[in-house]
Amino acid sequence: MSAELTGQNEHYLTVFRRNFRDWRGTRPFWAGLFVLLSGFPIMYFPYAHLQVGHLTLAMATTAGAGSLIIGVLLVVLGVSLWFQRHVRTFAGVASILLGLVSLPVSNFGGFVMGFLLALIGGAMAVAWVPGEPVAEPAEQAATKQDDAAEHASTEAGDAVGEPNDLSGTSPANGANGRHSAG
């Protein structure tokens, strides 16, 4: 047995937590969570009946169905951010727009709680960019050598007529900067 084997003696919760952390790091998890949570106050408050002592305060509005649709759409967008990360821009913009629409439709956007969560989650979804994979140490050394060789060749190849010359006036392109269309 080797001292480097760690998979056999690990607790299953430790393995689950590590796998969840890896999964969470490859997608806009927090944006999806904020968008998902924004749907619940927007759905709840138009149908809520609050008890204040012996007084029942009904929060029902005429736009209850609209609030329910907005809330369900926000929950679906939040879940789609978790499981289909390529729709992050669409889901982010849609959640921002639904959050804005919830202001007049759903009791000021679920008393501003759902509105703010939708705006923050949507902005996070639009701003999220997938990270670059971590390279192995051997690959990092090869990449550094390739970068150094490329840097040296670009410094030496800045003369006119080289492939990096984009001015269009070099004698190598034959037209001396003019298009030879006729």
Side-chain angles (χ1 to χ4, degrees), residues 29-41 43 71-82 95 117-118 121:
F29 176 78
W30 293 107
L33 184 66
F34 279 126
V35 172
L36 177 89
L37 292 178
S38 71
F40 293 117
M43 283 189 291
V72 167
L73 285 174
L74 284 169
V75 169
V76 168
L77 287 172
V79 171
S80 71
L81 280 170
W82 283 347
S95 66
L117 286 171

Short mmCIF file of all heavy atoms in Angstrom, two decimals, residues 29-41 43 71-82 95 117-118 121:
data_model
loop_
_atom_site.label_atom_id
_atom_site.label_comp_id
_atom_site.label_asym_id
_atom_site.label_seq_id
_atom_site.Cartn_x
_atom_site.Cartn_y
_atom_site.Cartn_z
N PHE A 29 -22.79 29.22 -10.54
CA PHE A 29 -23.61 28.66 -9.47
C PHE A 29 -24.32 29.74 -8.66
O PHE A 29 -25.53 29.67 -8.43
CB PHE A 29 -22.74 27.80 -8.54
CG PHE A 29 -23.50 27.26 -7.37
CD1 PHE A 29 -24.33 26.17 -7.53
CD2 PHE A 29 -23.39 27.84 -6.12
CE1 PHE A 29 -25.05 25.67 -6.45
CE2 PHE A 29 -24.09 27.36 -5.05
CZ PHE A 29 -24.93 26.27 -5.21
N TRP A 30 -23.59 30.75 -8.22
CA TRP A 30 -24.19 31.77 -7.36
C TRP A 30 -25.20 32.62 -8.12
O TRP A 30 -26.22 33.03 -7.56
CB TRP A 30 -23.11 32.63 -6.71
CG TRP A 30 -22.31 31.83 -5.74
CD1 TRP A 30 -21.03 31.39 -5.91
CD2 TRP A 30 -22.75 31.32 -4.49
NE1 TRP A 30 -20.65 30.63 -4.81
CE2 TRP A 30 -21.68 30.59 -3.93
CE3 TRP A 30 -23.94 31.41 -3.78
CZ2 TRP A 30 -21.79 29.95 -2.70
CZ3 TRP A 30 -24.03 30.78 -2.55
CH2 TRP A 30 -22.97 30.07 -2.03
N ALA A 31 -24.94 32.86 -9.39
CA ALA A 31 -25.92 33.58 -10.20
C ALA A 31 -27.20 32.78 -10.30
O ALA A 31 -28.31 33.33 -10.16
CB ALA A 31 -25.34 33.85 -11.59
N GLY A 32 -27.08 31.47 -10.54
CA GLY A 32 -28.26 30.62 -10.61
C GLY A 32 -29.01 30.57 -9.29
O GLY A 32 -30.25 30.55 -9.27
N LEU A 33 -28.28 30.57 -8.19
CA LEU A 33 -28.93 30.54 -6.88
C LEU A 33 -29.71 31.83 -6.62
O LEU A 33 -30.85 31.79 -6.16
CB LEU A 33 -27.89 30.31 -5.78
CG LEU A 33 -28.44 30.16 -4.37
CD1 LEU A 33 -29.27 28.89 -4.26
CD2 LEU A 33 -27.32 30.15 -3.36
N PHE A 34 -29.11 32.97 -6.94
CA PHE A 34 -29.81 34.25 -6.75
C PHE A 34 -31.06 34.34 -7.62
O PHE A 34 -32.12 34.78 -7.18
CB PHE A 34 -28.89 35.43 -7.03
CG PHE A 34 -27.98 35.78 -5.89
CD1 PHE A 34 -26.60 35.87 -6.09
CD2 PHE A 34 -28.47 36.03 -4.63
CE1 PHE A 34 -25.75 36.18 -5.06
CE2 PHE A 34 -27.63 36.35 -3.59
CZ PHE A 34 -26.26 36.43 -3.79
N VAL A 35 -30.94 33.92 -8.89
CA VAL A 35 -32.09 33.96 -9.79
C VAL A 35 -33.17 33.00 -9.31
O VAL A 35 -34.36 33.31 -9.33
CB VAL A 35 -31.65 33.68 -11.24
CG1 VAL A 35 -32.84 33.53 -12.16
CG2 VAL A 35 -30.74 34.78 -11.75
N LEU A 36 -32.77 31.82 -8.89
CA LEU A 36 -33.73 30.84 -8.38
C LEU A 36 -34.46 31.38 -7.16
O LEU A 36 -35.70 31.29 -7.06
CB LEU A 36 -32.99 29.54 -8.02
CG LEU A 36 -33.82 28.43 -7.41
CD1 LEU A 36 -34.39 27.57 -8.52
CD2 LEU A 36 -32.98 27.59 -6.49
N LEU A 37 -33.74 31.95 -6.22
CA LEU A 37 -34.36 32.48 -5.00
C LEU A 37 -35.22 33.70 -5.27
O LEU A 37 -36.14 34.00 -4.50
CB LEU A 37 -33.28 32.81 -3.97
CG LEU A 37 -32.54 31.62 -3.38
CD1 LEU A 37 -31.46 32.10 -2.41
CD2 LEU A 37 -33.49 30.67 -2.69
N SER A 38 -34.94 34.43 -6.35
CA SER A 38 -35.74 35.62 -6.65
C SER A 38 -37.16 35.26 -7.06
O SER A 38 -38.08 36.08 -6.90
CB SER A 38 -35.07 36.44 -7.75
OG SER A 38 -35.17 35.78 -9.00
N GLY A 39 -37.36 34.07 -7.57
CA GLY A 39 -38.70 33.69 -8.00
C GLY A 39 -39.65 33.43 -6.86
O GLY A 39 -40.87 33.63 -7.00
N PHE A 40 -39.16 33.02 -5.71
CA PHE A 40 -40.05 32.63 -4.61
C PHE A 40 -40.80 33.81 -3.98
O PHE A 40 -42.02 33.72 -3.81
CB PHE A 40 -39.29 31.82 -3.57
CG PHE A 40 -38.87 30.48 -4.09
CD1 PHE A 40 -37.54 30.16 -4.20
CD2 PHE A 40 -39.81 29.55 -4.51
CE1 PHE A 40 -37.14 28.94 -4.70
CE2 PHE A 40 -39.43 28.32 -5.01
CZ PHE A 40 -38.08 28.01 -5.11
N PRO A 41 -40.16 34.93 -3.63
CA PRO A 41 -40.97 36.03 -3.09
C PRO A 41 -41.91 36.63 -4.13
O PRO A 41 -43.01 37.09 -3.79
CB PRO A 41 -39.96 37.06 -2.61
CG PRO A 41 -38.66 36.67 -3.16
CD PRO A 41 -38.74 35.23 -3.54
N MET A 43 -43.48 34.95 -6.45
CA MET A 43 -44.63 34.04 -6.52
C MET A 43 -45.47 34.07 -5.25
O MET A 43 -46.69 33.93 -5.30
CB MET A 43 -44.16 32.59 -6.73
CG MET A 43 -43.74 32.26 -8.11
SD MET A 43 -43.45 30.51 -8.33
CE MET A 43 -41.99 30.23 -7.35
N GLY A 71 -42.50 34.36 -11.50
CA GLY A 71 -41.76 33.58 -10.51
C GLY A 71 -41.32 32.23 -11.02
O GLY A 71 -40.17 31.80 -10.80
N VAL A 72 -42.20 31.53 -11.73
CA VAL A 72 -41.84 30.22 -12.27
C VAL A 72 -40.74 30.36 -13.32
O VAL A 72 -39.80 29.56 -13.36
CB VAL A 72 -43.10 29.52 -12.85
CG1 VAL A 72 -42.71 28.32 -13.69
CG2 VAL A 72 -44.03 29.10 -11.73
N LEU A 73 -40.84 31.38 -14.16
CA LEU A 73 -39.79 31.60 -15.16
C LEU A 73 -38.44 31.89 -14.51
O LEU A 73 -37.40 31.41 -14.99
CB LEU A 73 -40.17 32.73 -16.11
CG LEU A 73 -41.23 32.40 -17.16
CD1 LEU A 73 -41.63 33.65 -17.93
CD2 LEU A 73 -40.73 31.33 -18.10
N LEU A 74 -38.43 32.64 -13.44
CA LEU A 74 -37.17 32.93 -12.75
C LEU A 74 -36.58 31.67 -12.12
O LEU A 74 -35.37 31.46 -12.17
CB LEU A 74 -37.37 34.02 -11.70
CG LEU A 74 -37.49 35.44 -12.26
CD1 LEU A 74 -37.95 36.39 -11.17
CD2 LEU A 74 -36.18 35.89 -12.84
N VAL A 75 -37.42 30.82 -11.57
CA VAL A 75 -36.93 29.56 -10.99
C VAL A 75 -36.34 28.68 -12.10
O VAL A 75 -35.26 28.09 -11.94
CB VAL A 75 -38.06 28.84 -10.22
CG1 VAL A 75 -37.65 27.43 -9.86
CG2 VAL A 75 -38.42 29.63 -8.96
N VAL A 76 -37.03 28.61 -13.23
CA VAL A 76 -36.53 27.80 -14.35
C VAL A 76 -35.22 28.37 -14.89
O VAL A 76 -34.29 27.62 -15.21
CB VAL A 76 -37.61 27.70 -15.46
CG1 VAL A 76 -37.04 27.13 -16.73
CG2 VAL A 76 -38.77 26.87 -14.97
N LEU A 77 -35.11 29.68 -14.99
CA LEU A 77 -33.86 30.29 -15.45
C LEU A 77 -32.72 30.02 -14.48
O LEU A 77 -31.58 29.79 -14.89
CB LEU A 77 -34.03 31.80 -15.65
CG LEU A 77 -34.85 32.22 -16.86
CD1 LEU A 77 -35.12 33.72 -16.82
CD2 LEU A 77 -34.14 31.85 -18.14
N GLY A 78 -33.01 30.04 -13.18
CA GLY A 78 -31.98 29.74 -12.18
C GLY A 78 -31.47 28.32 -12.30
O GLY A 78 -30.26 28.06 -12.24
N VAL A 79 -32.39 27.37 -12.50
CA VAL A 79 -31.98 25.98 -12.65
C VAL A 79 -31.22 25.78 -13.96
O VAL A 79 -30.24 25.04 -14.02
CB VAL A 79 -33.22 25.05 -12.55
CG1 VAL A 79 -32.87 23.63 -12.94
CG2 VAL A 79 -33.80 25.10 -11.16
N SER A 80 -31.65 26.47 -15.02
CA SER A 80 -30.95 26.33 -16.30
C SER A 80 -29.54 26.92 -16.24
O SER A 80 -28.65 26.45 -16.95
CB SER A 80 -31.75 26.97 -17.43
OG SER A 80 -31.74 28.38 -17.31
N LEU A 81 -29.32 27.91 -15.41
CA LEU A 81 -27.96 28.43 -15.23
C LEU A 81 -27.05 27.38 -14.61
O LEU A 81 -25.86 27.34 -14.89
CB LEU A 81 -27.96 29.68 -14.36
CG LEU A 81 -28.34 30.98 -15.06
CD1 LEU A 81 -28.55 32.08 -14.04
CD2 LEU A 81 -27.29 31.37 -16.06
N TRP A 82 -27.60 26.52 -13.78
CA TRP A 82 -26.79 25.48 -13.16
C TRP A 82 -26.47 24.35 -14.12
O TRP A 82 -25.36 23.85 -14.14
CB TRP A 82 -27.53 24.88 -11.98
CG TRP A 82 -27.52 25.73 -10.75
CD1 TRP A 82 -26.75 26.82 -10.51
CD2 TRP A 82 -28.33 25.54 -9.60
NE1 TRP A 82 -27.04 27.32 -9.28
CE2 TRP A 82 -28.00 26.56 -8.70
CE3 TRP A 82 -29.30 24.62 -9.25
CZ2 TRP A 82 -28.60 26.67 -7.46
CZ3 TRP A 82 -29.90 24.73 -8.03
CH2 TRP A 82 -29.54 25.76 -7.13
N SER A 95 -33.55 37.25 -16.82
CA SER A 95 -33.87 37.42 -15.40
C SER A 95 -33.86 38.90 -15.01
O SER A 95 -34.68 39.31 -14.18
CB SER A 95 -32.92 36.61 -14.53
OG SER A 95 -31.61 37.11 -14.64
N LEU A 117 -32.83 40.38 -5.97
CA LEU A 117 -32.17 39.09 -6.21
C LEU A 117 -32.10 38.78 -7.71
O LEU A 117 -31.09 38.27 -8.19
CB LEU A 117 -32.90 37.98 -5.47
CG LEU A 117 -32.70 37.92 -3.96
CD1 LEU A 117 -33.66 36.91 -3.34
CD2 LEU A 117 -31.27 37.58 -3.63
N ALA A 118 -33.17 39.11 -8.45
CA ALA A 118 -33.17 38.86 -9.90
C ALA A 118 -32.15 39.75 -10.60
O ALA A 118 -31.44 39.29 -11.50
CB ALA A 118 -34.56 39.10 -10.47
N GLY A 121 -28.54 38.45 -9.53
CA GLY A 121 -28.27 37.15 -10.16
C GLY A 121 -28.12 37.27 -11.66
O GLY A 121 -27.25 36.64 -12.27
#
